[in-house]
Amino acid sequence: MKIALFIPCYIDQFYPQVGQATLELLTKLGCEVDFPLNQTCCGQPMANSGFAAASKDCDKNFVRNFTGYDYIVGPSGSCVLHVKEHLKDDQHSEETIHIRKHIYELTEFITDVLKKEVHNAVFPHKVGLHNSCHGQRGLGLSSMSERMLPAFSKPEQLLSKVKGIQLLKPVRTDECCGFGGTFSVFEEAVSVKMGKDRIKQHEANEVEFITGVDVSCLMHLEGILKRQGSKVKTIHIAEILNTEA
Amino acid sequence: MKDHATLAEEFIKDDARTNWHDETLWFVRQKRDKAAHGLPEWEQLREWASQIKNHTLSNMESYLEEFEKNALDNGVKVHWAADATEHNQIIHDIIKSKGITRIVKSKSMLTEECHLNHYLEEQGVEVVDTDLGERIVQFRHEPPSHIVLPAIHLKKQDVSDTFHEHLHTEKGNNDPTYLTRAARVHLREKFIASQLAITGVNFAIAETGGVVVCTNEGNADMGTHAADVHIACMGFEKLIPKASHLSVFLRLLARSATGQPITTYSSHFHKPRAGQEMHIVIVDNGRSDILGKADFRNALKCIRCAACFNTCPVYRRSGGFSYHTAVAGPIGSILNPNFDPKKYADLPFASSLCGSCSNVCPVKIDIHDQLWKWRQELSKGGHLPLSKKIMMKGMAFVLGRPALYRFGGASARWVLRHMPFLVKFKVNPWYKQREMPEAPKQSFRDWYIQNKKK
Ligand code: SF4
């Protein structure tokens, strides 16, 4: 099984530890993972701002880097969803379709493709779980409060095996944190208000960490937490799953 | 004109009020969840509703003809209005021909869309909105801020002040029962004095030629029962093929809107009673254009339940007026750009694209996908600010070129580490209320090459 690691641009630049944890975790689970060196970005920031047509070069670069693999795995629900729904390269349409069908967010790759559990992780802390919208509603990583369907959660399924962890959910289990890509700067007031409200509900549970499958949401929440001088930290799910006794 | 982001920022300045607005509407969303959980067939009902509406939209022409024929056979007069102006003129002509000067109206978003009140008042006709919330905002010369709960932006004391001014209630008496009683006395007088009643339409049934109006206050019935003339106004998308389809829609509508199993009154109007006249005005006003757009047509499935408003984390924190239009919220953000892409170019961006709206929608409109598609349309049409275009094209240029990206990323991290004052100033909208992420020395790629690459 040939697996390519997709590390979105802002993780590459600002959160390398998340990339490292993802790579190490997949290796521990027995995967052989390649990191295509010329990858940049999935094109989502431009597309969500209305400029999908302008991100052609970006899309082409993505297809060039990720062609020839059985699976592509990334630690970001949002970027993975964007590739799945919108990646476009008319000159390489077969390759593009293959990528769109075989790209996975990390937790769903572990539960659905590898069909494995993560056994050795230890994280003796109170942790709040943030359901990021693109992972949850877009990729279907967990059931959603709006739909009247049986309950499940792939991230929770993995986290429940972590030793010592105390997993807590905010009152509104799956409300958006307000990041929303460029929404976070073009609608700054609403974005921050949404983030503050999310944090208040996690703080009510006295959590030490907030975790989730999307670094982007966590980056936004972290920015607010730090400005508020809060003791609560953010941590990506891969970093928790990659811990060892 | 101020855009959504600016108006939202103004709304949010009052933090306590924003929290109250958010929590009030979240409470309605929770009531909806509870009601929906009570029906094991909920998701099936949504699917049926969606299919019935899709089918009707695809066969609009024949259903409209069937509806008109049956309505005429019932003795109803049917009028066709191409746009808002025609709609308003048709209604005014009927009023004028009877020499009427005072009319009552029960809630109708279509008449809001057509600015009927304003038009009739200019012609010297007194229009009284009889839905309590609508009456409150009418006193205040405000538009409704929510399509189901028009005065949801107001608190008890605001209503008390408004009633004190217009109905001479005791100053400072905020007791809801007291205030509602005062409104009731006031509205009863209006019902009795009025000779003509206008209602909206929730469902128009092709098979019978009848229309159904759903209210909780019974004001549509009170208006039409007391008046000699009843005019029902509807956008053509209100059509459903059969009366039996109501068994799907009526169950979904109230549960989605307020969490009630059914609206208090579901009033069926088929024909004028003896001595009364009944008119139906069928309005296009841009709907045919929407019907012709493959990507956007299914927005016409909307049954105006407002579930998408109540669930929207942006709407709850920015208020209805931040959308500067009659139909606000997520559905408003995908309908209004059809009518005026320039004026409403900001609305599809008033969303984090969380997708909760599409999930609650009882007729399964792909609201958040349409928001995304509208962003592309507006960009193609040249309706977005130039600054945004330059920024996005610049980003696309860099991100399409790996070497340039690596150089840019390394420089940005270097700047953040060594000259943070270049980034950390308050006009940077990220930094205003949030810290920047810390800039590590090494990117993931650098680490990978150093440590892992074979
Ligand atoms: S779009 Fe759907 S949820 Fe929103 S008002 Fe219309 S029917 Fe209700």
Side-chain angles (χ1 to χ4, degrees):
Chain A
M1 187 157 68
K2 273 186 85 184
I3 301 169
L5 181 61
F6 163 42
I7 298 298
C9 51
Y10 65 98
I11 300 183
D12 176 41
Q13 293 298 328
F14 294 112
Y15 297 91
Q17 73 276 18
V18 175
Q20 292 160 21
T22 306
L23 178 62
E24 284 167 12
L25 179 63
L26 286 170
T27 313
K28 274 187 213 168
L29 290 167
C31 302
E32 249 188 70
V33 186
D34 219 15
F35 176 72
L37 287 171
N38 277 325
Q39 57 180 292
T40 59
C41 168
C42 63
Q44 178 167 226
M46 286 76 78
N48 282 6
S49 307
F51 295 89
S55 68
K56 263 194 207 121
D57 290 351
C58 216
D59 281 33
K60 279 199 166 107
N61 185 58
F62 197 94
V63 174
R64 214 178 296 132
N65 274 275
F66 290 101
T67 294
Y69 293 98
D70 298 319
Y71 293 100
I72 298 124
V73 183
S76 160
S78 188
C79 304
V80 167
L81 179 68
H82 178 76
V83 172
K84 241 185 204 326
E85 289 188 332
H86 300 297
L87 186 73
K88 200 167 178 283
D89 180 352
D90 293 337
Q91 278 147 4
H92 301 94
S93 48
E94 236 175 76
E95 291 88 340
T96 307
I97 293 169
H98 179 85
I99 293 173
R100 285 171 64 158
K101 282 196 179 146
H102 294 86
I103 186 161
Y104 281 83
E105 179 279 329
L106 176 66
T107 61
E108 63 173 352
F109 183 73
I110 299 174
T111 59
D112 298 3
V113 180
L114 299 179
K115 300 195 193 322
K116 286 195 175 170
E117 288 174 350
V118 178
H119 282 298
N120 299 323
V122 182
F123 200 72
H125 297 284
K126 279 179 131 181
V127 179
L129 179 63
H130 173 63
N131 279 306
S132 65
C133 304
H134 285 175
Q136 185 196 28
R137 298 193 183 83
L139 294 172
L141 297 185
S142 62
S143 49
M144 306 153 231
S145 64
E146 303 93 358
R147 305 288 306 274
M148 304 301 142
L149 298 167
F152 70 94
S153 165
K154 295 172 193 178
E156 248 182 278
Q157 186 186 324
L158 293 175
L159 286 172
S160 66
K161 295 285 181 305
V162 175
K163 289 183 196 78
I165 198 168
Q166 201 183 336
L167 207 56
L168 297 152
K169 276 183 273 183
V171 188
R172 300 183 188 177
T173 52
D174 54 7
E175 192 176 40
C176 177
C177 69
F179 173 66
T182 50
F183 175 83
S184 65
V185 288
F186 293 125
E187 284 267 3
E188 184 265 341
V190 186
S191 167
V192 171
K193 176 66 181 151
M194 284 163 70
K196 283 180 177 168
D197 289 354
R198 224 56 298 254
I199 286 168
K200 227 186 278 162
Q201 291 181 22
H202 279 292
E203 283 178 339
N205 286 340
E206 297 178 340
V207 300
E208 302 163 67
F209 292 89
I210 299 175
T211 193
V213 302
D214 256 292
V215 183
S216 49
C217 307
L218 297 175
M219 172 171 77
H220 162 71
L221 294 173
E222 178 190 62
I224 300 171
L225 284 165
K226 280 193 180 162
R227 179 63 59 87
Q228 291 179 337
S230 168
K231 278 188 283 201
V232 180
K233 293 194 181 67
T234 54
I235 186 167
H236 188 264
I237 191 165
E239 296 175 87
I240 296 182
L241 295 174
N242 191 43
T243 52
E244 270 169 35
Chain B
M1 203 193 54
K2 291 179 182 171
D3 66 356
H4 180 273
T6 313
L7 293 164
E9 189 173 357
E10 288 173 13
F11 186 83
I12 288 173
K13 279 208 179 105
D14 189 342
D15 195 49
R17 209 181 177 97
T18 307
N19 288 340
W20 170 81
H21 192 263
D22 167 55
E23 276 151 24
T24 308
L25 289 165
W26 182 257
F27 179 67
V28 183
R29 152 83 206 267
Q30 283 178 306
K31 288 210 307 191
R32 171 262 175 210
D33 289 354
K34 216 169 148 205
H37 269 296
L39 288 187
E41 67 273 38
W42 182 257
E43 297 295 340
Q44 180 65 60
L45 280 176
R46 288 177 74 223
E47 181 56 31
W48 280 332
S50 170
Q51 287 183 16
I52 295 167
K53 282 284 182 181
N54 277 335
H55 167 84
T56 315
L57 289 174
S58 300
N59 298 278
M60 194 41 88
E61 196 185 298
S62 56
Y63 283 124
L64 277 173
E65 279 171 5
E66 186 185 347
F67 176 72
E68 182 188 36
K69 185 185 168 295
N70 289 328
L72 290 172
D73 288 350
N74 292 339
V76 177
K77 294 190 176 140
V78 179
H79 311 258
W80 299 86
D83 54 24
T85 314
E86 272 190 35
H87 163 264
N88 294 348
Q89 277 165 358
I90 289 168
I91 292 174
H92 184 232
D93 286 347
I94 300 171
I95 295 171
K96 217 167 40 183
S97 71
K98 309 275 169 207
I100 292 171
T101 51
R102 304 168 76 181
I103 67 169
V104 290
K105 201 173 112 221
S106 77
K107 207 168 134 278
S108 149
M109 287 316 298
L110 176 67
T111 59
E112 289 291 338
E113 175 188 320
C114 297
H115 302 291
L116 177 70
N117 284 16
H118 180 72
Y119 177 86
L120 289 180
E121 274 155 20
E122 278 191 340
Q123 318 291 325
V125 180
E126 185 202 55
V127 188
V128 175
D129 272 310
T130 58
D131 171 274
L132 179 56
E134 285 273 316
R135 188 63 180 146
I136 296 168
V137 294
Q138 193 185 26
F139 277 140
R140 299 169 61 94
H141 304 291
E142 284 174 352
S145 69
H146 184 287
I147 56 174
V148 170
L149 310 161
I152 197 66
H153 58 292
L154 298 172
K155 298 180 107 168
K156 275 185 293 196
Q157 56 266 34
D158 303 320
V159 177
S160 171
D161 292 346
T162 307
F163 279 11
H164 173 67
E165 189 187 332
H166 295 272
L167 302 178
H168 312 295
T169 53
E170 281 166 34
K171 191 165 177 54
N173 190 336
N174 298 348
D175 176 33
T177 311
Y178 169 74
L179 295 171
T180 322
R181 287 217 171 112
R184 180 186 163 109
V185 170
H186 162 73
L187 287 170
R188 290 282 147 113
E189 284 166 11
K190 297 292 178 189
F191 283 127
I192 293 165
S194 147
Q195 298 149 293
L196 186 145
I198 297 176
T199 68
V201 169
N202 288 93
F203 304 100
I205 302 150
E207 171 186 55
T208 65
V211 299
V212 179
V213 183
C214 302
T215 72
N216 272 330
E217 296 166 25
N219 52 320
D221 304 80
M222 227 137 25
T224 52
H225 291 171
D228 301 330
V229 185
H230 171 198
I231 307 176
C233 309
M234 56 177 270
F236 68 62
E237 81 285 6
K238 296 291 171 199
L239 217 54
I240 56 173
K242 290 175 187 295
S244 61
H245 293 152
L246 287 170
S247 65
V248 173
F249 290 105
L250 290 180
R251 296 178 82 199
L252 285 168
L253 176 62
R255 284 183 174 88
S256 299
T258 56
Q260 296 165 270
I262 195 159
T263 39
T264 316
Y265 300 90
S266 306
S267 313
H268 300 245
F269 298 94
H270 283 109
K271 53 175 78 170
R273 51 163 208 276
Q276 195 199 33
E277 245 179 52
M278 184 174 161
H279 300 259
I280 295 175
V281 186
I282 304 171
V283 183
D284 185 316
N285 203 32
R287 286 163 176 75
S288 295
D289 288 343
I290 305 178
L291 195 57
K293 295 180 194 163
D295 281 346
F296 302 117
R297 62 176 292 185
N298 86 28
L300 292 173
K301 292 194 289 185
C302 177
I303 58 171
R304 299 288 191 271
C305 71
C308 58
F309 287 55
N310 305 335
T311 203
C312 179
V314 177
Y315 175 86
R316 275 187 269 110
R317 291 173 181 83
S318 66
F321 298 150
S322 62
Y323 295 77
H324 54 86
T325 169
V327 178
I331 182 66
S333 297
I334 58 173
L335 282 175
N336 288 296
N338 285 295
F339 306 131
D340 189 340
K342 192 157 190 60
K343 188 168 170 197
Y344 299 116
D346 55 330
L347 296 186
F349 292 91
S351 162
S352 61
L353 299 181
C354 76
S356 186
C357 47
S358 309
N359 269 350
V360 293
C361 179
V363 289
K364 290 193 166 181
I365 299 173
D366 54 344
I367 307 173
H368 73 292
D369 286 332
Q370 288 197 34
L371 287 167
W372 191 89
K373 287 177 191 161
W374 265 116
R375 294 179 182 190
Q376 315 307 322
E377 283 297 307
L378 293 166
S379 157
K380 268 188 245 159
H383 297 296
L384 302 184
L386 185 65
S387 55
K388 206 178 207 177
K389 185 171 168 182
I390 293 171
M391 183 170 150
M392 289 305 147
K393 292 232 158 147
M395 269 174 78
F397 186 83
V398 175
L399 292 167
R401 289 161 183 75
L404 199 56
Y405 156 76
R406 289 196 289 273
F407 172 74
S411 323
R413 275 182 286 115
W414 189 87
V415 168
L416 261 172
R417 269 181 296 129
H418 300 286
M419 295 194 279
F421 54 88
L422 281 180
V423 189
K424 296 186 175 181
F425 51 91
K426 297 262 165 155
V427 291
N428 168 357
W430 180 276
Y431 189 66
K432 210 170 147 195
Q433 301 186 70
R434 282 169 293 216
E435 292 299 320
M436 304 294 291
E438 269 179 34
K441 277 203 178 128
Q442 218 176 18
S443 70
F444 172 77
R445 184 180 183 273
D446 296 341
W447 172 86
Y448 180 83
I449 290 173
Q450 205 174 47
N451 298 288
K452 297 278 164 177
K453 206 167 169 269
K454 295 144 239 166

